[in-house]
Amino acid sequence: MTARAILATTIGFLFSVPLFAAPHRKHVDPTGPGAIVLCYHIVESPLDARMEISRDTFRQQLQYIEMTGYNVIPLRHLYEYVTGERTSLPPNAVVITIDDGWRSTYTEAYPELEKRRFPFTVFVYPEIIGKTATALTWNMIREMSDNGADIESHSYTHPFLTRRRNENLDDSAYAKWLERELADSKSILEKHTGKPVEFLAYPYGDYDHFLAHAVGKAGYAAALTCDFGKVVRGSDPLRMKRFVIDKRMDFAVFRHYMGATPMQLAEMTPKPGDVVEPDAAVISARIPNFKSVDPRSVGMALLGGSSLLPYAYDANTGSITLMLNDAITALKGNDHRAVVWATDSKTGKRIEASWTFRLPEDAMPAAVPAVPPGEIAPAAQPASQPATSRVSVVPLTSGAAIVAHTPR
C-alpha cells in the first residue's frame, strides 16, 4: 500500500469514529524554561487591514530582540528541546516564523534577518508561489533556503483544514482532499528546496485533535498553532504555540508578549521626555530593588542606533550607565528609547523597564544629498557585522563591582 493510500485510510478511519476529547497529557509548566515563537505575515506590503506591519515596526522589534538579551534559535532546536532530544535552550530564547509566502518575506524580512544572522522559518503554501506580483517566486525560496532559511509547509492552498470546516465533504472525499493539502505541499516544497519538510503551520490556526493526528501520520514531526503561549519542555509538538504579530500591537504589548514584566527604575538621566543635550556623554538609571536581581543578568541598550553601546552596572548600588561617546551623532530620528533588563533572582523571570527621551533637531546628521541625474552614485559599503558584547567584572577601589559590557 502506498504512503498516500495509508494516509487516506487513516484519515477516513479517524472521521468514522465519534469525537472524543484529546488524550490526557502529562502536566506541563507554562512558566518553565522554553521559547517564545513569533509569527509574522506581511512587512510593509501588500497593505492588509490586520496582518501587515510596517518596515519600521519590524526593524524596531528585531533591534529590541538583538540588543536586549534575547537569543534567536532555529525552530528545530525548540522541537528537539520539546521532545527531550536537546537538554537545554539559551535564556530568553526566541523563534522567528513567517507565514504564507508573501514577497515581502524576501524583500523586507529576509535582508533584516540575514543581517543580524537570525535563523528563521518560512511556512509556505505552494499554491500562492509565483501567482501574483506580491507573492514569492521559487527562485526567491531557493535562494533563502540555500542561505540557511528553513522552508516548511503551510498546507497546499491555505484552507481551513478541520473536518468541522468542511461539512460539505463526506468522509472519503474529505480524506482525499486533506491528503492533497498535507502530502502535496510537503513533496512540492521538498522538490524545490532539496531539503526535508518536517514542520507545518496550521492555516488560520485551525486545528483539532484529529487533524493533529492526521498531520503526524502524514510525516510531519511538529505543527504550529496561533494559540498564544510559551513553548516549554513537554509541550505537544503537534500543538506548538505562537504569538501572532499584527498591526494592532504596540511596542509595549510586544515587549509583554516577549516575556518582560515591569521593573522599577529611579534617577533616570535624561528624565523621561526630556531633550538630551548634543554633548551628552551617558544615559543612566538606578534599580531601587537591585538586591533582588541577578547582577550578571542586568543589561542596558539604546534603541534607535545602529550598534550596541558599552554600558556598566554597579552591583553594589544598582546604578547602570550607558556610554554614548560619539554615538549620539549616529542615532536616527529624534525619539529614542532606553531599555534596562534583568532576571529576578527569586523567580528567574525577566524584568524590564524603559523610558524615552528626545534629541534636539540640530543634533541629527545632515541628510545625504541625492545623486544628480547622469552621475554615478558611490559604491555601497559592505554592511557592518552585527556587534557582540564582551562582559567583564571590573573591581572598584571602594570594593564595589561593575559589570562592564563593551562591544567588540
Side-chain angles (χ1 to χ4, degrees):
M1 184 179 290
T2 66
R4 289 194 175 190
I6 293 173
L7 175 60
T9 301
T10 300
I11 294 170
F13 169 75
L14 285 173
F15 294 98
S16 65
V17 298
L19 299 182
F20 295 100
H24 174 72
R25 295 184 58 82
K26 64 182 180 180
H27 173 71
V28 175
D29 179 7
T31 65
I36 299 296
V37 183
L38 301 179
C39 173
Y40 293 94
H41 286 80
I42 306 168
V43 179
E44 194 68 30
S45 176
L47 295 178
D48 182 273
R50 177 179 173 187
M51 303 317 300
E52 176 258 356
I53 63 172
S54 71
R55 181 185 298 117
D56 289 342
T57 297
F58 184 67
R59 289 174 178 171
Q60 181 189 48
Q61 292 175 0
L62 293 188
Q63 187 181 57
Y64 169 79
I65 292 170
E66 178 184 28
M67 290 187 169
T68 63
Y70 288 92
N71 292 285
V72 181
I73 63 171
L75 176 59
R76 167 151 295 281
H77 288 188
L78 179 57
Y79 165 73
E80 292 171 351
Y81 178 75
V82 164
T83 58
E85 184 178 346
R86 184 175 292 268
T87 59
S88 64
L89 294 176
N92 301 315
V94 180
V95 173
I96 296 175
T97 68
I98 308 173
D99 282 9
D100 293 342
W102 297 106
R103 186 163 295 200
S104 68
T105 302
Y106 177 83
T107 60
E108 300 289 343
Y110 173 48
E112 295 294 330
L113 293 163
E114 187 180 42
K115 177 171 63 178
R116 295 170 171 83
R117 299 178 182 175
F118 283 172
F120 65 102
T121 295
V122 183
F123 288 105
V124 175
Y125 66 99
E127 183 63 15
I128 193 179
I129 304 307
K131 297 297 178 64
T132 73
T134 56
L136 289 171
T137 66
W138 287 116
N139 285 338
M140 292 173 181
I141 289 174
R142 279 190 290 269
E143 179 186 334
M144 290 190 292
S145 177
D146 290 345
N147 286 321
D150 177 32
I151 307 298
E152 302 290 347
S153 172
H154 201 25
S155 78
Y156 181 66
T157 66
H158 199 283
F160 289 96
L161 291 177
T162 56
R163 184 70 176 89
R164 68 179 182 273
R165 297 279 193 170
N166 294 275
E167 296 178 351
N168 58 316
L169 299 176
D170 62 32
D171 288 344
S172 176
Y174 173 75
K176 292 179 181 179
W177 173 81
L178 185 57
E179 172 194 356
R180 179 184 186 224
E181 288 293 337
L182 298 177
D184 285 11
S185 174
K186 190 176 190 298
S187 62
I188 290 171
L189 291 171
E190 289 176 340
K191 175 183 176 181
H192 282 281
T193 65
K195 299 176 182 178
V197 170
E198 300 179 279
F199 304 135
L200 172 84
Y202 297 112
Y204 307 105
D206 176 46
Y207 76 99
D208 57 22
H209 167 57
F210 296 102
L211 176 59
H213 187 78
V215 166
K217 289 292 185 180
Y220 292 94
L224 286 84
T225 72
C226 293
D227 298 340
F228 280 17
K230 190 175 183 180
V231 180
V232 298
R233 171 87 74 192
S235 293
D236 186 341
L238 292 170
R239 296 176 180 82
M240 294 171 70
K241 297 180 178 181
R242 292 192 292 176
F243 290 95
V244 179
I245 308 300
D246 63 37
K247 66 171 51 180
R248 301 172 302 176
M249 184 181 297
D250 62 22
F251 191 56
V253 173
F254 175 78
R255 290 166 53 217
H256 174 72
Y257 282 157
M258 292 293 293
T261 54
M263 174 175 65
Q264 287 188 336
L265 281 184
E267 302 171 19
M268 288 92 84
T269 303
K271 289 180 170 50
D274 276 6
V275 176
V276 180
E277 295 302 321
D279 59 351
V282 298
I283 306 295
S284 64
R286 188 175 67 84
I287 304 173
N289 59 338
F290 63 92
K291 292 184 178 179
S292 66
V293 305
D294 179 355
R296 298 167 299 179
S297 70
V298 179
M300 187 176 191
L302 183 61
L303 304 186
S306 58
S307 63
L308 293 168
L309 297 174
Y311 62 88
Y313 174 63
D314 187 335
N316 278 358
T317 65
S319 296
I320 189 164
T321 302
L322 182 146
M323 283 68 77
L324 279 176
N325 300 325
D326 297 327
I328 191 169
T329 59
L331 297 178
K332 301 176 182 178
N334 295 103
D335 294 303
H336 295 276
R337 180 182 299 273
V339 183
V340 178
W341 66 92
T343 299
D344 185 282
S345 297
K346 185 175 181 180
T347 66
K349 293 183 178 180
R350 178 187 174 99
I351 54 177
E352 183 182 295
S354 74
W355 78 99
T356 59
F357 57 88
R358 294 183 59 80
L359 294 179
E361 296 286 345
D362 56 6
M364 295 295 97
V368 178
V371 179
E375 295 190 14
I376 299 176
Q381 297 299 313
S384 59
Q385 297 298 325
T388 57
S389 61
R390 181 173 63 254
V391 182
S392 58
V393 179
V394 183
L396 301 180
T397 54
S398 63
I402 286 183
V403 179
H405 297 244
T406 54
R408 64 178 180 186

